[in-house]
Amino acid sequence: MFVTPEGERILIVDGHTHLWDGRPSNWRNDYGRTFIDTFWGGHVGFTPADKRWTQEQFRYYGAEKAARDLFVDGYCDAAIMLPVDLRDFYNDGFNTTEQCSELKALFPERVVLNGRIDPREGSRGLARLEKDHDRFGFKGVKLYTGEWNGISRGYRLSDDFVKPYLEKCRELGISIVHVHKGPTTHPLDYDAFDVRDVDHVATSFPDLKFVVDHCGMPRIDDFCAVAGQEPNVYGGLALVTSFIRARPRHFKTMLIELLWGVGPDRLIFGSDYAITSPDWIIDAFMAFELDEADTTEAGHALDLEAKRKILGLNAAKLYGLDVDALMNLPPVDLSASEASRHAAE
């Protein structure tokens, strides 16, 4: 939990988390290495030196460490998990729904497990979505438009084969669609993450909510142009907030743009765990301030009310989470599971 120096309790929902397997034994080819190594570069570049992991630990950390980093050390009351398969690079998938379900099984009351869809999979993928939804009961799904699939190196949300998947989500009662639109990761193609196709589906499916993860960065202005006209488009701040320590002036520029173009009611905090962990980001964000001139330019104050919304209340509202119930959960205790693991070793 997070408590301000004045004793005020702040709800924290990490809107962008993973449980991946980037170990060499899971690499299907050398792209498995280059993909996780790009993530590793981000971890080293963003994370304070005294909080960096070893590279071996970064490649595979497991559900218990994730629980500790998020719910014990990371202030989080809840975490939203966003799977992506990447089976062209990883034998058993990189960050699959099945892998992410391990954390959900440990803390079902704290973890929101989303599904994943790849519209290029046709009828087979629709059947898989139905089967997975029957098992897990998704509120949302993740789309990764730059993911490789055979000879395809990405797609656009305006492609004809995307529509049946969004119609299936609507039919199943899945109302939240996360879309990765941000930095690329080797070997994925930069243009496959262009944010300018989001308005096509947002207009066509006004009853669905589209969370643009990473806010289209570095195309923040394009994202704001889309979200400014589409009220069902939200900004996922994963990686945006990671700049708060390494490049604070750049972070401030992005935040002002987002507050002006979208406003504080549709911005959702995310750490992009485990590229970065939430604890130091939240500490820095709570201490971060905009002066009078910056506030005027942003059109919104970054006051405690705005920070409450961004750090948790917006995600709770979007996902229908019970704020009082989350804030009154007992502290996470990992001692029993850790003792059992040590005994087995």
Side-chain angles (χ1 to χ4, degrees), residues 122-342:
S123 59
R124 175 173 56 89
L126 290 171
R128 176 182 172 183
L129 174 59
E130 285 198 50
K131 181 179 180 181
D132 287 349
H133 179 61
D134 286 343
R135 178 182 175 189
F136 296 112
F138 301 134
K139 293 184 177 181
V141 294
K142 173 70 177 283
L143 284 157
Y144 206 76
T145 56
E147 183 173 2
W148 288 14
N149 189 330
I151 63 171
S152 172
R153 291 174 54 152
Y155 62 95
R156 293 182 57 79
L157 296 177
S158 54
D159 289 334
D160 291 341
F161 53 76
V162 173
K163 183 178 179 181
Y165 275 75
L166 298 181
E167 291 174 336
K168 177 60 70 173
C169 286
R170 175 191 281 162
E171 175 190 324
L172 295 174
I174 299 170
S175 61
I176 303 165
V177 180
H178 285 258
V179 188
H180 178 108
K181 294 290 186 179
T184 189
T185 305
H186 193 271
L188 305 180
D189 295 342
Y190 182 72
D191 62 350
F193 294 125
D194 193 321
V195 73
R196 290 175 295 178
D197 56 353
V198 173
D199 58 342
H200 180 89
V201 290
T203 299
S204 300
F205 293 87
D207 51 326
L208 301 182
K209 304 293 193 298
F210 295 88
V211 182
V212 177
D213 292 312
H214 316 298
C215 297
M217 65 179 295
R219 314 167 183 88
I220 296 287
D221 54 344
D222 283 339
F223 165 73
C224 288
V226 171
Q229 72 175 25
E230 306 288 350
N232 56 334
V233 171
Y234 295 70
L237 293 174
L239 286 188
V240 175
T241 48
S242 299
F243 280 86
I244 197 168
R245 185 198 68 87
R247 296 190 61 196
R249 287 182 297 177
H250 182 52
F251 169 72
K252 183 173 75 171
T253 297
M254 290 190 289
L255 183 62
I256 289 172
E257 186 80 13
L258 290 165
L259 288 171
W260 169 259
V262 185
D265 294 334
R266 285 189 283 145
L267 296 177
I268 295 173
F269 166 71
S271 67
D272 212 346
Y273 181 84
I275 295 179
T276 48
S277 296
D279 55 344
W280 62 267
I281 299 176
I282 293 166
D283 284 333
F285 185 71
M286 286 300 297
F288 190 85
E289 295 181 351
L290 296 178
D291 62 24
E292 184 176 353
D294 292 333
T295 300
T296 299
E297 184 177 355
H300 296 275
L302 188 65
D303 53 15
L304 184 59
E305 179 185 4
K307 290 177 179 179
R308 283 183 184 274
K309 291 178 179 179
I310 292 169
L311 286 173
L313 293 179
N314 290 343
K317 182 178 180 181
L318 178 65
Y319 274 88
L321 306 180
D322 187 327
V323 173
D324 290 336
L326 284 175
M327 295 181 72
N328 285 288
L329 286 172
V332 167
D333 182 2
L334 294 169
S335 56
S337 59
E338 289 177 343
S340 176
R341 175 169 51 82
H342 290 318

Side-chain angles (χ1 to χ4, degrees), residues 88-136:
D88 277 38
F89 308 151
Y90 295 94
N91 296 314
D92 297 321
F94 177 64
N95 166 57
T96 66
T97 305
E98 190 71 32
Q99 290 166 328
C100 291
S101 71
E102 295 176 19
L103 185 60
K104 174 72 171 177
L106 285 179
F107 297 99
E109 71 282 3
R110 292 185 180 273
V111 174
V112 176
L113 176 62
N114 283 322
R116 48 74 64 195
I117 54 176
D118 184 339
R120 294 168 295 183
E121 294 174 354
S123 59
R124 175 173 56 89
L126 290 171
R128 176 182 172 183
L129 174 59
E130 285 198 50
K131 181 179 180 181
D132 287 349
H133 179 61
D134 286 343
R135 178 182 175 189
F136 296 112

